[in-house]
Amino acid sequence: MFTLILALFACKKADEPVWVQFNEDVSLEVEITASEELGAPVTADVFSSSGEELVAVIVVDPGSGPVGTDHRVEVDVGDDYDEVVGRVLLTTDSGDRGVEEHELDRDSADDGYWWRVLTSGGAEGEERTDTFSVQLFTDENED
C-alpha cells in the first residue's frame, strides 16, 4: 500500500509543469505622473534567450499617467512560438513601493495573445518611473 501511495505522488509530480524562461531579459519604463494626461503606449521587442529570434512584442497602454490609471499590458507571441510559450509573467518594480509579479492571462481565442490590466497605485500627485519586465516560459516537460 505504501508503495502505491509513493507511486501516485511520483506520477503527480511528473505531470506538473517545469517552467523554463524562454526569452532574454527585457523591460520597459512606465511613467507615473502628476498630470492627468495619458501618454502614448510603450513597446518593446521580446527576443529568444540567445537574442537572435524575435519571439513577441509587449505593449503597455497608456505608457504614462497619474496614480489610478489602468494600464493594459499585452504580449503578442509570434505564431511560430504561441504553442511553445505556456506562461507569461510580468514583474513591476515601483522603486520604494516594491516589486510585484503578475501572471498574464491567455486569450481564449488566440493562443499567442496574453494580457492583463494593472492599475497604478500610490499617493495622488506622486511621480515615479516603474519598470515592467516580461518573462515568457515554456514547460520543459512538453514535447
Side-chain angles (χ1 to χ4, degrees):
M1 172 105 169
F2 182 71
T3 306
L4 178 61
I5 292 172
L6 285 178
L8 288 174
F9 280 114
C11 290
K12 172 86 170 137
K13 192 173 188 177
D15 291 342
E16 293 177 10
V18 177
W19 296 116
V20 177
Q21 188 171 341
F22 190 71
N23 65 298
E24 69 177 2
D25 293 336
V26 62
S27 60
L28 44 81
E29 294 183 343
V30 176
E31 298 291 328
I32 307 304
T33 64
S35 168
E36 292 297 316
E37 195 171 316
L38 302 179
V42 291
T43 66
D45 291 335
V46 181
F47 288 92
S48 62
S49 58
S50 68
E52 293 298 315
E53 294 291 323
L54 179 63
V55 175
V57 174
I58 179 173
V59 177
V60 179
D61 187 15
S64 65
V67 168
T69 299
D70 290 335
H71 300 271
R72 185 175 180 91
V73 179
E74 301 173 346
V75 175
D76 189 8
V77 177
D79 291 343
D80 291 342
Y81 306 103
D82 62 358
E83 291 184 20
V84 177
V85 174
R87 178 178 176 224
V88 177
L89 181 69
L90 182 78
T91 303
T92 55
D93 183 344
S94 299
D96 292 341
R97 291 204 169 272
V99 176
E100 294 181 356
E101 292 184 341
H102 313 273
E103 294 279 341
L104 272 62
D105 295 318
R106 178 179 258 164
D107 184 76
S108 61
D110 182 351
D111 284 344
Y113 181 79
W114 297 77
W115 68 280
R116 180 139 187 200
V117 175
L118 300 176
T119 304
S120 57
E124 189 174 328
E126 181 176 343
E127 295 184 309
R128 66 175 190 272
T129 301
D130 291 351
T131 302
F132 285 30
S133 303
V134 67
Q135 294 175 306
L136 310 179
F137 292 93
T138 187
D139 180 359
E140 76 175 10
N141 290 332
E142 292 291 319
D143 291 334

